[in-house]
Every structure is written in structure tokens, then in C-alpha cells.
Amino acid sequence: MFAVLLGLLMVGVTAGSASALQTGNLMNNQLGAFKSSFQLHERTLNSEFLKWYYMHYGRLPKSINQKQLTKIFAEFLKEDPIALRELKEINKIQRSIIDLGLTHQSDIATSFNIQQKSYHTTSITSCYGYCSGEQVRVTINYLKVHVVRWDITYGEVDKFNWLYTGSEAKEFFDKWEDTTTKAGYATTLLGVGTSLVKFPNPVSIAIGAALTATGLTITYEGSEMLTYYESTNWQYIWMVLENDYYYPWVPVMNLASHFSIYGYNSSNGKKYTFLPSVSIPAVGGYTNAVISSIMSKVAHDWIKNHGSGWVTVA
């Protein structure tokens, strides 16, 4: 019997190792394809910039500081549609890397010109009703592009994380299930755990408006939360509000500022979407870029005041 069990165990280990190897190879192949495409688009962008730079060399300052560089690069993008297209392709790849959750690996982040302000992983332990808590974490991923000898930051991806375990998770779930309006979902998301993260009213109004604009039904929202919570074995709820902020000086790209809301399963990395990535609605006299910038400021203030990593809500 022992020999049989040992044999089955070895088969399981071998199968698991093979599966992990296949997954690793797939990820490496994907990263390799991303890197080749990224380098191609960046080379094209550099080539376009050099042509434009020498064409306007006589009127440009010979010693360029960061402020002047931003102004020059913005002018270049406005005048060169090929360059703007290349920047958008670069952005797509950078966003893919962020979505894969690989930006905490400095070698990968550096390869794709992504600079993360803070990153700390966490392991979710099974509470089985004996532990309970709430934590908050904020991360900022700066999106950069390397042009000739300069690094230009053109946007950022801010992630607000709320992690509820035990009875705190159940409390959040009950509040979500009791919500009867789309604006109410925004209130639920921002009203629990926000004793530490302070969002101005325009942000919660914009999230409510975005939920309404997507046309998602209340039934869908409720069933998706149920499916997500069940996937964690009713142990935790990890909610993420993601703000993609493209700096207003970047022509056209600022219109792409948007946000999304999803639940995250730490055991398999799967995301359960409650608000798909949508452009931020202009509400209350605020443009989408302004609302996105407000969320960015909240993220920066958080890291300035609390540092990196998870912070426990008292």
C-alpha cells in the first residue's frame, strides 16, 4: 500500500512539475514576444523623434530640462501621427505586463520601462471563521518611454487594494448584496475601508456614473460578487480599484484615462470584473482627466503618508 501511495504521489509531483514547466515556458514565450514588439515600436518612435528633432533643431533649446523636454515631446506627438501610434502600441504592451502582475520583478519592469512606486505581496491564509480583518494597499506604476537619451514619464496606473478577511469580508459582501442602485455600488466600494483612503465626492459620483454608463444590470453585479466570493471559499474579498491616468500634456492620450474595478483571487490570479475598463465620465463640471488626476493625487498622498505595503485598518 505504501508503495502504491508513493507511486501516486510521484505521478502527482511529476504532473505538477510538468504543468508548472509548461506554464513557465508559455510565460517566457509571451514575454519574449512582448519584448521584441516593444523594442520595435520604441526604435520606430526614436527614429521619428530624431527626424523631427533635427528638422526643428535651429529653434529648439540646446540644453533641455525636464519641463522643456515634456513640452517638446508633446509638440512632436501632435505633429507626427506615426509617433503617436507607436506610443499607443508601447502603452498596450506596458498595460499587458501590469495586468500579468509582473511589475514587482525589477528586471521585467525595467525591460518595459515601468517603474513601480511600491509593491508588496501578501498570502491569504484560510481563516475558517477564526480571524477577521481589513487592510489597504496602494501601488503606482509609472509608464515611461525612452527617447534617444531621455526617459519621459507619460502616465501611471494607480491601484487601490482593499483586502477583507473573515467577518469583515462577510460584512462587505452583505452590503454589496443589499445595494439596489448602481451609484450604491460606488458608495459600498468607497464607503467600506475608506477610513484610511479618502476620495473626494467627484470620484464616487464618477464611479456611479461609469457603472450606469456600462449598462450592467444589478443582477449581474450581484451574481458576479457571489461567484467571486465563493471562489475564495468564503474566506476573503480582495477588491481593486484601478486608475489609468495619462498626463494631460499627451495629445489625445488623456482621453484614454479610465478606471476599472475587480475582485482578485490570490490563489489563481483570476480577476472578477465588476466595472470593466471604461473612460471616466465627466461629471459635476470635472473632465475625465481631472477626475483621474484627483485619484492619482490620492494615491500619491497615500504612499507619502503610509509608505509601502499593506496597512491594517483599525
Side-chain angles (χ1 to χ4, degrees):
M1 178 64 74
F2 178 76
V4 172
L5 290 174
L6 181 61
L8 290 174
L9 179 61
M10 291 305 295
V11 169
V13 170
T14 303
S17 300
S19 176
L21 184 61
Q22 289 174 350
T23 301
N25 288 338
L26 179 63
M27 181 64 72
N28 288 335
N29 291 338
Q30 189 175 20
L31 284 175
F34 277 147
K35 189 171 183 179
S36 296
S37 180
F38 184 86
Q39 291 173 338
L40 176 63
H41 290 301
E42 197 166 64
R43 281 198 299 269
T44 302
L45 181 66
N46 273 260
S47 176
E48 289 296 310
F49 182 78
L50 282 174
K51 287 190 296 184
W52 182 90
Y53 183 82
Y54 287 120
M55 185 182 302
H56 300 275
Y57 182 78
R59 66 175 180 81
L60 297 176
K62 302 305 176 279
S63 179
I64 302 177
N65 58 34
Q66 193 62 42
K67 185 176 181 179
Q68 291 170 325
L69 177 61
T70 298
K71 183 178 180 181
I72 289 172
F73 191 64
E75 183 181 346
F76 157 63
L77 291 175
K78 289 178 182 177
E79 296 181 5
D80 191 328
I82 295 176
L84 187 57
R85 183 192 66 200
E86 294 304 308
L87 181 60
K88 288 182 178 181
E89 292 301 319
I90 288 171
N91 173 252
K92 287 179 182 178
I93 297 171
Q94 289 175 320
R95 289 297 292 109
S96 295
I97 297 300
I98 293 174
D99 287 342
L100 288 171
L102 301 175
T103 51
H104 64 290
Q105 300 180 33
S106 58
D107 57 331
I108 293 177
T110 301
S111 297
F112 293 95
N113 293 347
I114 301 170
Q115 180 186 355
Q116 191 165 75
K117 188 71 174 180
S118 68
Y119 186 91
H120 283 255
T121 58
T122 187
S123 58
I124 309 297
T125 57
S126 295
C127 292
Y128 298 108
Y130 296 109
C131 64
S132 178
E134 178 184 335
Q135 298 179 76
V136 177
R137 184 185 77 190
V138 176
T139 61
I140 301 175
N141 295 286
Y142 293 99
L143 304 173
K144 297 176 177 287
V145 61
H146 185 75
V147 180
V148 188
R149 63 176 184 273
W150 299 289
D151 284 317
I152 302 172
T153 304
Y154 68 91
E156 63 190 57
V157 178
D158 312 311
K159 292 190 177 186
F160 299 88
N161 299 264
W162 290 272
L163 174 61
Y164 309 100
T165 54
S167 62
E168 295 289 346
K170 182 64 165 59
E171 179 184 349
F172 181 90
F173 176 76
D174 289 341
K175 287 186 177 180
W176 189 277
E177 290 293 289
D178 288 341
T179 299
T180 57
T181 65
K182 295 185 190 303
Y185 284 117
T187 302
T188 301
L189 176 69
L190 302 181
V192 179
T194 52
S195 56
L196 294 180
V197 180
K198 300 293 184 181
F199 285 107
N201 285 337
V203 174
S204 58
I205 294 172
I207 292 176
L211 282 164
T212 302
T214 62
L216 293 177
T217 65
I218 301 299
T219 302
Y220 166 80
E221 293 290 345
S223 63
E224 185 72 355
M225 175 58 76
L226 178 63
T227 301
Y228 164 57
Y229 192 22
E230 184 178 15
S231 79
T232 70
N233 198 28
W234 315 103
Q235 295 302 308
Y236 65 89
I237 291 178
W238 184 340
M239 296 294 288
V240 182
L241 168 62
E242 189 171 292
N243 174 44
D244 289 37
Y245 176 40
Y246 300 98
Y247 301 150
W249 60 263
V250 182
V252 181
M253 286 288 284
N254 69 303
L255 299 178
S257 292
H258 54 274
F259 54 60
S260 60
I261 301 171
Y262 57 87
Y264 180 73
N265 186 311
S266 67
S267 63
N268 57 21
K270 185 176 179 180
K271 297 176 182 179
Y272 294 75
T273 302
F274 301 104
L275 173 63
S277 186
V278 295
S279 296
I280 300 173
V283 296
Y286 296 92
T287 65
N288 67 330
V290 170
I291 292 173
S292 188
S293 70
I294 292 173
M295 297 172 73
S296 167
K297 184 178 185 306
V298 173
H300 283 260
D301 288 345
W302 168 271
I303 290 180
K304 178 181 177 181
N305 295 329
H306 298 279
S308 60
W310 290 94
V311 176
T312 300
V313 178

